[in-house]
Amino acid sequence: MRWIIRPENVETAERKPIIAATAVGVAAVAAVVQYAVPLAVPVLEREPGALEAGQWWRLVTPLFVQTLGWYQVVTNLVTLAVVGVVAERLFGRWRWAVLFTAGTIRGQIAAYAWGEPGGGDSIAICGLAGGVVVWLLTDRRDASRWAVGAVVCYIAALTGWGFGGIRAAAVAAVAAVLVLCVVRARGLALVGSVACAVALTVAADLHGVSLLSGMAIALVITCCGVGSAPRSNAAAGFVPVTDR
């Protein structure tokens, strides 16, 4: 069974990814503030028991602090830009915001439930990435190598990181590239991304929860036609390629 997706009008299709660019700008400013005012981090980061103490702002503020250091700052800025642009061009602005919010809320709930401290906007990025995976699985007629590669490599690296650290993340990302570029099994890679989300969730990794949340929301949007349907990759400015 194939879902039919109607492209939006040309004016909408040519719209720049403003919300993604804005999010990257906010994240960049937050990173500067974080290093300029180090005392802000312990006040804003996620802390077990903080909600019970009435510190409700910690439901949102952990998005603005990257507690693992400069490499988390750089990684999250780059992935927010890449995945954010892909998601906005496929889904439009308000759906982007819904996916971003879904990943954040479910990720934060999981983190507090599992007593995981820290911060970072990767859970929000996971909401976007999960949504893109489902969109590409339900209608891949015009699926571009860029859109597929962006989310598949991100989720693969995230899974490797979750189970084995930075070296495993690099190996997983390379493996994803090989599957996409050598084997050219894009459908398998997308299904594998769903499996990665499930595996991370089973391993009590909050990124898995956020990925699955984005996937669930995108499934509702795609199958039930919430609002106007997402546009095709061609309308979103991607160059379509066909499987061989």
Side-chain angles (χ1 to χ4, degrees):
M1 178 178 179
R2 181 183 292 277
W3 286 267
I4 303 300
I5 297 180
R6 296 183 295 102
E8 295 181 5
N9 59 54
V10 175
E11 181 181 356
T12 303
E14 293 177 347
R15 183 174 51 201
K16 298 293 190 299
I18 294 175
I19 191 171
T22 301
V24 172
V26 171
V29 171
V32 172
V33 172
Q34 170 180 332
Y35 283 99
V37 188
L39 292 178
V41 176
V43 176
L44 301 179
E45 69 181 345
R46 190 169 50 245
E47 182 179 316
L51 299 185
E52 288 83 349
Q55 299 175 9
W56 295 103
W57 67 85
R58 293 184 190 266
L59 283 171
V60 177
T61 56
L63 283 179
F64 301 102
V65 290
Q66 316 294 328
T67 54
L68 297 181
W70 65 266
Y71 61 90
Q72 186 187 22
V73 173
V74 174
T75 300
N76 283 352
L77 279 175
V78 172
T79 53
L80 176 59
V82 174
V83 177
V85 168
V86 170
E88 186 170 354
R89 286 182 171 175
L90 292 179
F91 284 99
R93 292 171 189 167
W94 76 264
R95 297 182 199 84
W96 189 101
V98 170
L99 292 170
F100 188 92
T101 303
T104 299
I105 292 175
R106 291 297 298 150
Q108 293 288 55
I109 291 174
Y112 277 110
W114 294 332
E116 184 170 336
D121 54 7
S122 56
I123 53 176
I125 301 170
C126 284
L128 299 174
V132 172
V133 167
V134 166
W135 192 95
L136 293 172
L137 278 171
T138 54
D139 193 304
R140 293 184 297 111
R141 290 169 299 169
D142 296 325
S144 73
R145 191 172 288 124
W146 161 254
V148 177
V151 294
V152 168
C153 290
Y154 173 68
I155 294 174
L158 198 64
T159 305
W161 175 274
F163 285 102
I166 189 169
R167 292 184 179 178
V171 171
V174 170
V177 171
L178 291 176
V179 170
L180 291 172
C181 298
V182 179
V183 182
R184 296 191 178 184
R186 290 183 293 165
L188 177 62
L190 290 168
V191 172
S193 296
V194 178
C196 286
V198 173
L200 286 170
T201 302
V202 171
D205 189 309
L206 56 91
H207 297 99
V209 175
S210 295
L211 284 167
L212 291 180
S213 297
M215 292 175 184
I217 294 296
L219 195 60
V220 172
I221 291 173
T222 305
C223 297
C224 300
V226 178
S228 57
R231 54 186 166 276
S232 68
N233 274 326
F238 296 120
V239 178
V241 294
T242 55
D243 290 318
R244 297 181 180 178

